[in-house]
Amino acid sequence: MKKVEAVFRPERLEDVRAALDDLERAGLTVFEVKGHGVQGGLTQQWRGDSYHVALVPKVMVMAVVHDHEVQEAIETISAAARTGIMGDGKIFVTAVEQALRIRTGESGAQAL
């Protein structure tokens, strides 16, 4: 099992959610987060004044999938979240050692 975490623009959430729902394979957890990447935040103008926003609002989506589903999940998220502009986000994949469905006690891959 692998945990796929994607951090991207909030306005792309509905597209990513719909695309992942079309896979019909995994549950999904969504977090509202703030951060910055290489760009270091944003400098914006408002009423003639310039100000710097160091932590930009983003959304993080987390899904745990079977090993053979990882590439498809990555490609689906990437295609749905991409705008082609700096700040589109990142996807991280990590191994999941154990999973347990609390309601039934199922563990491992059966818990997904």
Side-chain angles (χ1 to χ4, degrees):
M1 296 175 291
K2 303 286 186 199
K3 178 168 61 170
V4 179
E5 294 174 300
V7 180
F8 53 89
R9 299 171 184 274
E11 61 268 20
R12 304 303 296 172
L13 176 59
E14 188 55 33
D15 292 332
V16 170
R17 187 204 55 77
L20 287 173
D21 283 352
D22 287 346
L23 292 181
E24 298 179 354
R25 290 202 171 82
L28 185 67
T29 304
V30 177
F31 305 90
E32 292 180 5
V33 297
K34 291 183 180 184
H36 68 78
V38 176
Q39 82 274 13
L42 298 172
T43 300
Q44 298 181 333
Q45 294 277 333
W46 190 70
R47 294 189 176 182
D49 289 332
S50 181
Y51 64 97
H52 183 74
V53 178
L55 299 176
V56 180
K58 298 286 183 178
V59 172
M60 184 170 76
V61 170
M62 179 186 73
V64 177
V65 298
H66 297 282
D67 289 343
H68 66 276
E69 299 170 338
V70 171
Q71 193 58 38
E72 185 177 22
I74 291 170
E75 290 169 1
T76 299
I77 294 168
S78 180
R82 182 178 295 121
T83 67
I85 302 169
M86 185 184 292
D88 273 353
K90 298 257 188 333
I91 298 174
F92 305 98
V93 179
T94 55
V96 174
E97 291 184 25
Q98 180 67 305
L100 176 76
R101 182 171 301 186
I102 295 171
R103 179 179 53 87
T104 63
E106 294 171 304
S107 63
Q110 290 77 30
L112 299 183

